[in-house]
Amino acid sequence: MEKLVIEGLPSRDFWRGRKVLLTGHTGFKGAWLLFWLEAMGARVTGCSLAPEQPRSLFAELHAPERLASETIDIRNADDLEGLVRRARPEIVFHLAAQSLVRRGYSDPHGTFATNVEGTNNLLQALAQVKTVRAVVVTTTDKVYRNVNDGRAFVETDPLGGHDPYSASKAACEMVVEGWRSRLADEGCSIATARAGNVIGGGDWAGDRLIPDAVRAWSSGETLKVRRPEATRPWQHVLEPLRGYLVLAESLASADASAPAYNFGPRAESASVRTVLSLAAREFGEVRTDFADTPEGPAEAHKLDLDPTLAETGLGIRGLWDLDRTVTRTAGWYRDFLSGRPARELCEADCCAYLEDVRRAAMACIR
């Protein structure tokens, strides 16, 4: 019974005192993952640029004394190597990236340099230390060659990318493959994690659906939506983070056998229009302008992931449906803007999520 309960949950015993290197820890997903790792007692070294937005979830959640944190650009191989040698981590989560599709068009050089060269710099540095047992490199659901046929992608589908961001992440996957054997020689396992579109409280980045909606609606402005019928595999941020943690544990124990895993909802992808309709319920009277014709550079119209491999290999099954995911996300922003502390709101989401995971695990063994 205990094994079944633990199967889909990170193990506190594994993470307590574990030396972890987390790149991108000041970003949206990075701040949430750091919050979870700290709660389990991990010894985390963070490597990231300073937060870009005036508001920062990282700044709201973490105090300097809790974390060994360094401001480093992963494109600087020497600085990154020095950090790795000082930290001597056992587990590495690589989240640092240029993660915005539209910025990829405006700064393709920076996007490729960060996502490809930066990843290569990190893996080269990790190969030179003898302490690392597991590396999880996060890429994206957009690494696949997408012909908009509506079919859910599986991990063995061809990689591609019709825009600089997507192509850079597909290239990042190839960098990982190029280092796999060398890292294995040093006793280190590595895998990539391809997550669907992630939402949750505390994301303030530009050109992202929920943050843009919150900024517009909380200011009494009209939200302008470019592609209301585009579909994505939306999921709450805690869903893929649980996957990353369990994947790292499996890699460290040599249980994970696949080079890449999809993390996404089991349900069919939902449209931008549907997500915004659910979010608007938490904000009351809001104004949204849905465009008749798409504006801006090309983006995939349909995108869906098949998460079967993560379900069967890691015991990670999507838990929160779209309604619960969007409601908790929009509610987080509403309550934060009303004065509730970010840490309190994140703790509430984590407690609710973990309780639901435990209930689901117990239901499986009845």
Side-chain angles (χ1 to χ4, degrees), residues 34 57 67 70 95 98 100 113 125 150 161 212 240 254 256 278 297 300 307 317:
L34 177 58
L57 182 63
L67 172 73
E70 297 197 30
L95 275 64
Q98 193 301 95
L100 300 173
D212 285 350
L278 293 171
R317 296 167 180 83

Side-chain angles (χ1 to χ4, degrees), residues 145-206:
R145 189 181 304 159
N146 193 343
V147 295
N148 286 311
D149 61 1
R151 186 178 61 83
F153 293 110
V154 297
E155 288 83 354
T156 53
D157 281 333
L159 303 183
H162 298 296
D163 63 87
Y165 166 71
S166 302
S168 74
K169 282 298 196 175
C172 172
E173 295 266 355
M174 299 306 296
V175 170
V176 171
E177 190 59 35
W179 280 100
R180 190 179 307 281
S181 296
R182 169 66 189 282
L183 290 171
D185 290 342
E186 303 297 336
C188 173
S189 299
I190 187 170
T192 59
R194 304 165 182 171
N197 280 48
V198 172
I199 60 176
D203 184 5
W204 299 107

